[in-house]
Amino acid sequence: MSDDNPLAPPPWLNAPPVDPYPYEESHDLRVGPKLHPSLDGLLPYIGVWRGRGRGGFPTIEDFDFAQEIRISHDGRPFLSYESRAWILDEQSRPVRPAGREVGWWRPVLDGDRVTDELEALLTVPTGVMELHIGRRKGTQIEFVTDAVVRTATAKEVTAGHRLFGIVEGALLYAQDMAAVGQPLSPHLSARLIRVAG
Ligand code: HEM
């Protein structure tokens, strides 16, 4: 790189172009890379899920929403978590896009031993990042925030609690938050069924 102009063409610019990202990512255990053994306990979550839920908070009106969650892996010891939700009217028609979230679920290892603990890093586009500590009992996972970081313009979220479970093949969760001066209170609960994977 040139010292005086950081945008000057670098000497390696003439190297051949690179192919598209060469590694597979999968939400379907029948295809793609081999699942990392540390993810065996989280295997029931891998897939694409779609369903509906109900939301509210002491400061807002209750609402109905639909949601898609994609939980995938690339062979390494973490899961990718992506969620998109939209508000529904009384006839279950889409009203507007709502919460989005991306993040990572990371099983905690003790040497080679997989523990029942996991770490989650989650980011929403409204300026909030949450670090969670999760504990898995069977297929049920309880996440509690360890830290919440916010941009200067974000709503004041100070804590979160989420319970995930797989019940009769469906993904169920309940999410509480402490925000805008309110103590930990329910914000969302939903039931999603597997649509792929
Ligand atoms: C399925 C995903 C979600 C849906 C459907 C959803 C929906 C909503 C709705 C409809 C509101 C009322 C204000 C508005 O209309 O925008 C709201 C407010 C809010 N949500 Fe969510 N949300 C979701 C996820 C989240 C997550 C992951 C967080 C955590 C950071 C969060 C934090 C908040 C906060 C802080 C408020 C403001 C409350 C207030 O100002 O009184 N939401 N949400």
Side-chain angles (χ1 to χ4, degrees), residues 5-194:
N5 180 2
L7 295 179
W12 44 262
L13 200 64
N14 292 326
V18 290
D19 291 330
Y21 188 71
Y23 302 104
E24 279 183 294
E25 165 108 16
S26 181
H27 55 257
D28 184 342
L29 295 167
R30 291 163 299 190
V31 295
K34 189 172 158 332
L35 190 70
H36 192 280
S38 67
L39 296 174
D40 283 352
L42 298 170
L43 182 149
Y45 283 95
I46 296 173
V48 179
W49 304 87
R50 187 181 305 138
R52 58 189 302 146
R54 184 109 179 113
F57 200 63
T59 49
I60 59 177
E61 297 277 309
D62 288 355
F63 55 90
D64 292 309
F65 66 93
Q67 184 175 19
E68 280 181 356
I69 298 179
R70 180 174 188 263
I71 299 178
S72 58
H73 77 108
D74 69 1
R76 289 183 283 174
F78 58 82
L79 293 176
S80 156
Y81 175 93
E82 300 162 82
S83 156
R84 292 185 299 186
W86 60 103
I87 303 297
L88 297 176
D89 69 12
E90 298 76 29
Q91 278 78 43
S92 294
R93 289 177 306 218
V95 176
R96 60 181 170 89
R100 287 186 74 164
E101 194 167 35
V102 294
W104 314 100
W105 289 9
R106 298 159 36 85
V108 173
L109 302 176
D110 176 11
D112 284 343
R113 194 178 67 85
V114 185
T115 70
D116 60 3
E117 205 171 284
L118 56 152
E119 304 166 341
L121 301 88
L122 302 171
T123 309
V124 295
T126 47
V128 181
M129 286 179 0
E130 295 182 350
L131 294 190
H132 287 260
I133 305 293
R135 201 165 284 284
R136 186 175 62 79
K137 287 198 191 90
T139 58
Q140 185 167 310
I141 308 170
E142 183 175 18
F143 285 110
V144 179
T145 44
D146 187 33
V148 182
V149 183
R150 305 182 304 269
T151 63
T153 57
K155 290 261 175 146
E156 188 215 15
V157 178
T158 52
H161 175 271
R162 304 186 192 196
L163 202 54
F164 282 79
I166 305 284
V167 181
E168 290 166 1
L171 188 163
L172 275 75
Y173 77 87
Q175 177 176 333
D176 300 345
M177 66 178 175
V180 294
Q182 301 294 319
L184 210 56
S185 315
H187 185 37
L188 309 164
S189 61
R191 180 178 185 276
L192 296 85
I193 56 166
R194 185 184 288 281

